[in-house]
Amino acid sequence: MVKPPRAPSLYAKGEPVFNKRIDGRFRRLKWAIMALCLAVYWVTPWLRWDRGPYAPTQAVLIDLAHRRFYMFGIEIWPHEFYFVAGLLIMAGIGLFLVTSAVGRAWCGYACPQTVWTDLFQHVDRLIDGDRNARMRLYKAPWGPAKIARRLVKWAIYLAISFATGGAWIFYFADAPTLQHQFWTGSADLAAYGTVAILTATTFVLGGFMREQVCIYMCPWPRIQTAMLDEKSLIVTYKDWRGEARGSLKKAKANPGQFGDCIDCNQCVAVCPTGIDIREGPQVGCITCALCIDACDRVMDEIGRPRGLIDYATLEDSEAEKAGGAPTRHLKLIWRPRTLLYLAAWSAIGCGLLFLLGTRVHTGLTVSKDRNPPYILMKGGTVRNAYTLRLRNMQGRPRDMEIALRGLPGAVMWTEDTARDEAARRIVRTVAPDATQTLRVYVTAPAENAVHDFAFHLQAVGEAGEADTANTAFDTP
């Protein structure tokens, strides 16, 4: 019996990328952005900010235990989550804005996967050498020298990964205190678990998977690809100028038959994802523009004009192919869609700044007892019970006055005062950066027909620091 032929496998083993070192304006820009991103990530938890004796001194802190978010002089409370939501929306629109203006520049320069992969690739060059040396070592059989290099390199990978995971937990607690607890074994198990998980993921994703994360795992390249159009500024190979490819020797022997591309493959050699930009736009291109640096250097060496590989739009490329002059990049960026994204991003940012500048640091919430809704008292009055939460959002104790608005003839008292001390106003001292719960009883004449009233909270001696909560008064 003849066996049916085996179906072709859809699996293709990933080939490692040995990108070559290159120097140029875009490489230097990547160096600067990488250094800035790493510095911000590792240094920020150690910055101090004086908020007074009652608040933490860490400049940026996500205090989950007390449900606070601190960023320098700004403190966000749980009921102000709309600030966080607004920042997330701004981040999303910001990605759309960057994509509309300069293509996948986020992926090529500032994405964490790109930043850490770039860092690990520099470690590769430090330990194993540049492209050719790394290729030879990869193909070489395992021996003492290769094992030693691998162990040293992986140890550096692990150190960087551990520093990455360790820095993350410092954003959620006081960094010096948590560092001491971590090394003395007294930190919470969640801290050790978080560091272990982030160390492992950084080690694997940045040290080994690298470009596979960008090409296969990350959904953002697909989203960005759908957002690009013929007016988008992307890294482009100008095939009408470069084709047909041929060496300098062939070009001299056959004038007019070959383009400017000498098929040196330097654009492929420097690419961190290993693609060939000459094949056209593709999902593997992260728009890092290192191929532009490589090609420009080759063009300088052979005496041909730069820009064979350049930032350009498909529309502008067609115009240039037809003999037109290339359009300046700044002019290509400012198009209607980009301006629309910028306007939306700016509007949300201005709205958040307005809310931040006009918000008060005093808050009041009221919850009325539902069972029983009211109690008939001696003397023909009706009593309702309420739970008040007084919010002091400043880093110092404050006296706050609670007053009744509306409900004629009504008075109130708290469970820690006598009924004969009932009045329409009471004052309480609220601790710094805290919420105080207050049990309040309100009595009013039974014949009172007005059932809606309000509690008004006013910080004593602070004009504008007030809040009002409307509620109802139940009667038979």
Side-chain angles (χ1 to χ4, degrees):
M1 181 176 179
V2 179
K3 293 183 178 180
R6 295 181 60 182
S9 175
L10 298 179
Y11 171 77
K13 182 180 179 181
E15 293 295 330
V17 175
F18 304 101
N19 60 319
K20 183 179 180 180
R21 185 181 183 276
I22 186 65
D23 185 37
R25 50 179 176 157
F26 294 108
R27 176 63 262 182
R28 289 190 290 270
L29 178 61
K30 277 181 68 68
W31 271 112
I33 293 177
M34 181 184 72
L36 176 63
C37 291
L38 293 175
V40 168
Y41 177 72
W42 275 317
V43 173
T44 297
W46 299 95
L47 300 178
R48 303 290 100 184
W49 190 268
D50 185 11
R51 300 185 181 91
Y54 302 100
T57 60
Q58 188 160 308
V60 178
L61 176 64
I62 304 172
D63 190 353
L64 296 179
H66 300 93
R67 297 186 296 176
R68 303 286 189 276
F69 173 50
Y70 299 93
M71 180 176 287
F72 298 96
I74 302 173
E75 178 183 353
I76 303 299
W77 283 55
H79 71 283
E80 296 177 313
F81 188 79
Y82 52 84
F83 283 110
V84 179
L87 290 175
L88 292 176
I89 294 173
M90 286 185 68
I93 296 178
L95 286 176
F96 297 158
L97 173 62
V98 171
T99 302
S100 177
V102 287
R104 294 181 61 188
W106 160 260
C107 296
Y109 293 93
C111 173
Q113 176 66 22
T114 296
V115 171
W116 263 263
T117 295
D118 204 12
L119 180 61
F120 280 98
Q121 286 175 341
H122 290 307
V123 173
D124 291 346
R125 296 189 188 97
L126 176 66
I127 304 301
D128 297 337
D130 205 5
R131 173 180 167 85
N132 293 336
R134 299 204 307 276
M135 293 176 68
R136 288 194 300 269
L137 184 63
Y138 176 76
K139 296 176 181 179
W142 286 93
K146 183 173 181 177
I147 293 174
R149 285 181 180 273
R150 287 291 186 263
L151 291 178
V152 171
K153 184 173 68 173
W154 293 343
I156 298 176
Y157 283 1
L158 190 61
I160 295 173
S161 302
F162 179 76
T164 301
W168 179 255
I169 63 173
F170 293 148
Y171 284 89
F172 297 88
D174 182 66
T177 303
L178 182 56
Q179 183 190 43
H180 179 266
Q181 293 173 344
F182 188 90
W183 291 114
T184 56
S186 58
D188 193 276
L189 287 177
Y192 296 104
T194 301
V195 172
I197 292 173
L198 291 180
T199 298
T201 53
T202 304
F203 184 78
V204 173
L205 299 182
F208 299 95
M209 298 190 68
R210 298 186 178 179
E211 73 286 345
Q212 298 178 47
V213 175
C214 303
I215 298 174
Y216 301 110
M217 294 177 60
C218 181
W220 185 237
R222 278 80 182 169
I223 298 173
Q224 284 183 315
T225 301
M227 295 175 61
L228 298 177
D229 58 21
E230 67 278 358
K231 297 181 182 294
S232 299
L233 195 63
I234 58 176
V235 175
T236 304
Y237 167 66
K238 300 177 180 179
D239 57 339
W240 68 91
R241 178 184 150 188
E243 302 296 325
R245 307 173 198 173
S247 65
L248 287 175
K249 184 177 180 180
K250 290 182 179 179
K252 289 180 180 179
N254 303 278
Q257 295 186 16
F258 294 94
D260 286 344
C261 180
I262 62 174
D263 207 18
C264 62
N265 283 329
Q266 290 300 299
C267 55
V268 180
V270 301
C271 180
T273 61
I275 68 161
D276 188 345
I277 192 61
R278 296 171 296 180
E279 296 176 359
Q282 49 201 289
V283 73
C285 178
I286 60 174
T287 319
C288 65
L290 296 184
C291 54
I292 298 179
D293 285 337
C295 188
D296 283 349
R297 188 176 70 175
V298 172
M299 292 297 106
D300 290 341
E301 291 175 352
I302 65 177
R304 294 178 182 176
R306 289 186 166 201
L308 177 59
I309 302 176
D310 199 5
Y311 271 107
T313 68
L314 296 180
E315 189 178 76
D316 197 53
S317 296
E318 291 298 322
E320 191 175 347
K321 182 178 181 179
T327 307
R328 293 180 58 192
H329 289 161
L330 286 178
K331 187 176 181 180
L332 294 171
I333 290 175
W334 301 113
R335 57 194 183 110
R337 190 169 75 174
T338 304
L339 295 175
L340 181 63
Y341 286 140
L342 180 60
W345 186 86
S346 301
I348 296 173
C350 290
L352 292 178
L353 289 176
F354 175 79
L355 292 174
L356 190 63
T358 58
R359 71 173 183 163
V360 296
H361 297 82
T362 302
L364 172 65
T365 57
V366 176
S367 299
K368 186 184 181 305
D369 281 10
R370 297 299 180 187
N371 188 22
Y374 60 86
I375 295 178
L376 295 175
M377 308 292 289
K378 292 181 180 179
T381 60
V382 179
R383 190 192 81 180
N384 284 200
Y386 302 85
T387 300
L388 277 60
R389 291 177 176 82
L390 318 180
R391 193 162 47 243
N392 176 16
M393 298 167 59
Q394 288 192 356
R396 59 184 178 85
R398 301 163 76 196
D399 292 331
M400 295 189 177
E401 180 187 78
I402 307 103
L404 296 175
R405 286 193 172 179
L407 203 62
V411 292
M412 62 178 169
W413 72 97
T414 63
E415 60 184 0
D416 59 349
T417 59
R419 181 182 175 185
D420 55 8
E421 298 178 8
R424 289 187 66 85
R425 299 174 183 272
I426 57 177
V427 177
R428 287 292 182 272
T429 300
V430 183
D433 196 31
T435 298
Q436 179 177 325
T437 301
L438 195 63
R439 184 79 170 161
V440 174
Y441 302 101
V442 178
T443 60
E447 64 273 10
N448 199 323
V450 180
H451 290 176
D452 294 330
F453 74 105
F455 287 98
H456 180 73
L457 181 67
Q458 174 71 56
V460 177
E462 300 180 49
E465 285 290 331
D467 194 13
T468 301
N470 296 313
T471 187
F473 187 84
D474 292 333
T475 58

